[in-house]
Amino acid sequence: MCTDTLLRIRFSSSDVRLGAGTLRIYDAGGGLVDTIDLGLNASNGAQIRTIGGADYYAHPVILRGNEATVYPHPGVLRTQTTYYVLMDTGFFRDAAGADVEGVSDPAAWRFTTRAVLPDPAEVTNVIVAADGTGDFATVQGAIDWIPADSDRSYTVRIRKGVYEEINRVPAGKNRITFVGEGWRETVLTYANNNNFQLEIAGTATRCMFYAGGDDLVFKNLTFTNSTPQGGSQAEAVRVQGSRILFDNCNFCSYQDTILVNSPYVSAGFFNKCLIQGDVDFIWGSGMAYFNRCEIRAMRRAGNAPGIYTQARTPQDTYGLVFVDCVLTASAPGMSNWTLGRDGGNAHPYGNVTWIRCRMDAHISPLGWSDGGLVDKSALRFWEYRSTDLTGTNLIPTNRRVRWSRQISDELAARLQDPAVVFAPVGWTPALAAYVAGPPTNQTVYAGQTVVLAAAVGGVPEPVCQWYREDQPLPGANQTVLTIPDAQPADGAVYRLAVTNEFGFDLSPPAVIRVVTEPRPRLAQPVVLPDGTVRLEISGAEGAVYRLWSSTNLLQKPIEATWTVVKSGVFGPGPAVVEDRQAAGASARFYLLTSP
């Protein structure tokens, strides 16, 4: 196991609760290494832990369904050591309050750690894997391994999985790149918030991820502060350091999702990211540039209006700049949302700029909210050529509040240059081109349309070129390649190359196979005694299929009115599917498609 391993225990039922007592870790010689004592839990069910050199409240044990995850104290486990775990009876209890039997046998729960850790003087690339197959099992384990004030650059690759932990990159840990396997696949999450942190609450402790180093890069990740709506301020990320770049990332919370904290120092560039929240969810005194991002308003209780930003910018810097972004609503019927509000009398110079942003109809005609600042004459609430979601129709701005301003072409052009926004830290954001989401192998039937899609990253935006069998395809320079009416001759190996002035990347090969036989086949359904319908389906191995059902054969269109019973990929033989929802239906119709 990794030296930062978490301990997991699975129960036969999800009706399990934390009880009382201790769980203890011993080395093979019987020496006590760590104690998890539930008697030390505060009113929030957590205990103070030191994470990245700072104190936070964190849960020593988290229950999810029928599995409990136990968090040993950081740094207590050593390499090449065998450990065993003992647990008091009653450490867990069932739903009726009865004690769950503990672990008293030293031979029952044992594990051995890896022989060595990577040497940070020799190794600069490490892997985090939640299943323990990497160099580290937690993101914080990799952060702790990186030496402070090093002149080397490090890359932390985070494999698919959900990492439920508070993370902190302290000041002095610089030039680190964190790479996920996709924002749907690699998720960093924790329900941290201001209320949860009790007497040590503040912006430094309530965030899920604290980015305190300089020159950090984050790619293909989701940052989720899983605090429920209304659960107090809960940043997904606090940008504390300088020159921090986020590319193809997802930020999820409700109140205060992203904090760019310190004036003149904190600087964040967000490229093609999704950011969602409901109140002041992008805020702070620092500098931030959002390029081609989706900024999503989350529906509030009672469908109350919400606010996008709260800038506390000093007089002599720019603040929050949004360029070519799209402002969306998470649900229909949302209204009277505003682009931002001031930070009160202590922050008279707040600066927020929206340049060529597309806005849904939930944005109020007034545009901005009053945050309590008496004299708003120095506020810099700016807007330039805002449109509706189509991007073609300018939004009427004649009803915008009097303390906002429609800026000139010249000022808009100036602010579109990130180097101008980040002048206090001397930064022009740059990131080598890369393939963030590669195209996938496909098997299709002759006559179908093939769609090869990839996600790409990099700053500036990469140039794309598709290749077929190592030959460039003329005109194929978008992230999506479409082959209509595919024929067997179109079967080949395809790859996407991406390039910008800072680097080049080539996707893994995507093999396209076009077949003529066998066509998808649905055998005669069989009704079982309990009303379940059993179906046998078959088709070309590797081809994608969908099995649909309906109680009305005439419902159209199929994609909107029928229900998907099962979707998947054909194997070498027929697949058997059981439709248990058919029991009790007077009629049931089925359709097999290969989309």
Side-chain angles (χ1 to χ4, degrees):
M1 307 297 293
C2 303
T3 55
D4 63 331
T5 187
L6 306 179
L7 305 180
R8 292 183 172 87
I9 181 168
R10 186 171 294 127
F11 303 93
S12 58
S13 167
S14 60
D15 292 328
V16 179
R17 309 290 184 269
L18 286 181
T22 65
L23 180 148
R24 303 168 306 283
I25 303 174
Y26 299 85
D27 61 31
L32 181 63
V33 172
D34 196 14
T35 300
I36 307 298
D37 185 352
L38 298 182
L40 300 178
N41 282 5
S43 59
N44 58 1
Q47 302 173 9
I48 289 183
R49 294 281 183 96
T50 299
I51 301 172
D55 287 343
Y56 294 81
Y57 274 103
H59 294 288
V61 183
I62 294 179
L63 280 161
R64 293 281 179 262
N66 70 331
E67 185 172 275
T69 301
V70 181
Y71 292 72
H73 288 83
V76 298
L77 303 180
R78 300 288 177 251
T79 56
Q80 202 169 3
T81 304
T82 297
Y83 297 95
Y84 63 89
V85 181
L86 302 183
M87 183 178 74
D88 290 344
T89 294
F91 191 83
F92 295 100
R93 294 184 178 131
D94 65 20
D99 290 346
V100 173
E101 184 179 355
V103 178
S104 57
D105 181 359
W109 191 352
R110 298 173 71 91
F111 63 95
T112 300
T113 53
R114 303 274 176 83
V116 295
L117 283 174
D119 182 352
E122 302 291 337
V123 176
T124 58
N125 286 263
V126 293
I127 293 174
V128 176
D131 62 3
T133 58
D135 300 298
F136 300 94
T138 65
V139 177
Q140 191 62 45
I143 294 169
D144 292 343
W145 167 82
I146 295 171
D149 301 315
S150 172
D151 59 359
R152 300 167 70 86
S153 297
Y154 291 89
T155 298
V156 178
R157 301 187 182 278
I158 310 172
R159 288 182 177 161
K160 296 177 182 179
V162 176
Y163 299 83
E164 192 166 8
E165 50 183 300
I166 296 172
N167 293 130
R168 181 184 179 93
V169 181
K173 296 203 174 189
N174 307 323
R175 293 178 297 280
I176 308 171
T177 297
F178 297 85
V179 185
E181 293 191 333
W183 68 2
R184 294 178 179 84
E185 288 78 20
T186 303
V187 178
L188 316 184
T189 183
Y190 207 85
N192 194 18
N193 56 75
N194 203 68
N195 290 347
F196 179 69
Q197 289 299 326
L198 300 178
E199 78 280 359
I200 62 171
T203 58
T205 57
R206 72 193 190 202
C207 55
M208 194 279 298
F209 198 108
Y210 182 103
D214 296 337
D215 301 297
L216 307 178
V217 176
F218 299 88
K219 303 192 297 186
N220 301 341
L221 293 164
T222 283
F223 301 86
T224 297
N225 192 320
S226 52
T227 297
Q229 192 170 48
S232 79
Q233 300 100 317
E235 283 84 358
V237 169
R238 169 171 161 150
V239 174
Q240 182 60 43
S242 286
R243 300 176 299 276
I244 299 179
L245 193 154
F246 299 90
D247 192 77
N248 281 318
C249 289
N250 187 357
F251 302 85
C252 306
S253 188
Y254 289 97
Q255 186 171 357
D256 296 358
T257 305
I258 291 175
L259 167 59
V260 186
N261 189 63
S262 296
Y264 309 108
V265 174
S266 301
F269 184 83
F270 299 80
N271 189 55
K272 297 194 298 185
C273 294
L274 168 63
I275 303 154
Q276 60 187 40
D278 67 358
V279 175
D280 299 341
F281 63 96
I282 302 173
W283 76 288
S285 301
M287 302 156 283
Y289 189 113
F290 299 84
N291 182 58
R292 299 174 62 192
C293 294
E294 179 184 351
I295 320 293
R296 182 180 298 168
M298 303 303 292
R299 189 179 189 275
R300 302 183 68 199
N303 205 18
I307 302 167
Y308 274 86
T309 65
Q310 188 191 86
R312 301 182 174 186
T313 320
Q315 183 178 12
D316 49 353
T317 71
Y318 295 114
L320 309 176
V321 179
F322 301 83
V323 178
D324 294 326
C325 294
V326 57
L327 282 65
T328 60
S330 66
M334 295 168 58
S335 62
N336 292 320
W337 276 68
T338 55
L339 302 174
R341 63 176 168 181
D342 60 76
N345 290 327
H347 306 284
Y349 306 107
N351 175 225
V352 181
T353 308
W354 302 89
I355 297 176
R356 284 192 317 274
C357 292
R358 293 176 286 151
M359 302 181 182
D360 205 347
H362 65 297
I363 301 298
S364 167
L366 300 178
W368 306 83
S369 293
D370 187 344
L373 174 62
V374 174
D375 181 2
K376 292 182 170 58
S377 61
L379 272 182
R380 294 167 292 166
F381 283 1
W382 296 340
E383 200 175 351
Y384 178 76
R385 298 187 65 82
S386 298
T387 72
D388 62 14
L389 287 182
T390 68
T392 57
N393 302 309
L394 291 175
I395 292 175
T397 57
N398 58 307
R399 293 181 57 192
R400 292 295 198 244
V401 296
R402 57 180 173 79
W403 60 84
S404 70
R405 174 183 162 197
Q406 301 297 309
I407 61 175
S408 67
D409 294 346
E410 292 77 15
L411 181 54
R414 176 174 171 80
L415 286 171
Q416 286 178 81
D417 183 356
V420 171
V421 177
F422 297 124
V425 294
W427 185 35
T428 299
L431 180 65
Y434 69 100
V435 177
T440 57
N441 298 340
Q442 294 183 42
T443 296
V444 299
Y445 294 97
Q448 289 187 305
T449 297
V450 176
V451 178
L452 283 172
V456 304
V459 180
E461 184 71 11
V463 174
C464 298
Q465 176 62 60
W466 285 94
Y467 286 80
R468 180 183 186 276
E469 302 292 0
D470 298 326
Q471 295 299 312
L473 292 171
N477 54 11
Q478 304 296 319
T479 57
V480 175
L481 174 65
T482 302
I483 306 173
D485 189 26
Q487 298 300 316
D490 293 309
V493 175
Y494 294 82
R495 304 183 80 166
L496 176 65
V498 293
T499 309
N500 67 12
E501 59 190 284
F502 299 102
F504 167 85
D505 194 18
L506 187 64
S507 75
V511 179
I512 300 302
R513 180 168 160 257
V514 183
V515 297
T516 56
E517 295 293 342
R519 305 297 296 181
R521 179 176 177 273
L522 173 62
Q524 180 68 34
V526 175
V527 181
L528 303 180
D530 65 355
T532 296
V533 174
R534 179 177 292 164
L535 306 104
E536 184 179 282
I537 58 177
S538 58
E541 183 177 357
V544 176
Y545 68 82
R546 288 195 186 115
L547 178 64
W548 307 78
S549 71
S550 176
T551 57
N552 182 353
L553 183 62
L554 301 180
Q555 281 187 320
K556 296 289 191 292
I558 297 295
E559 293 80 3
T561 59
W562 287 47
T563 300
V564 176
V565 178
K566 186 174 177 60
S567 60
V569 178
F570 286 120
V576 176
V577 179
E578 291 190 351
D579 179 14
R580 300 186 185 278
Q581 302 300 317
S586 59
R588 196 75 160 175
F589 302 93
Y590 295 94
L591 178 67
L592 179 63
T593 65
S594 185

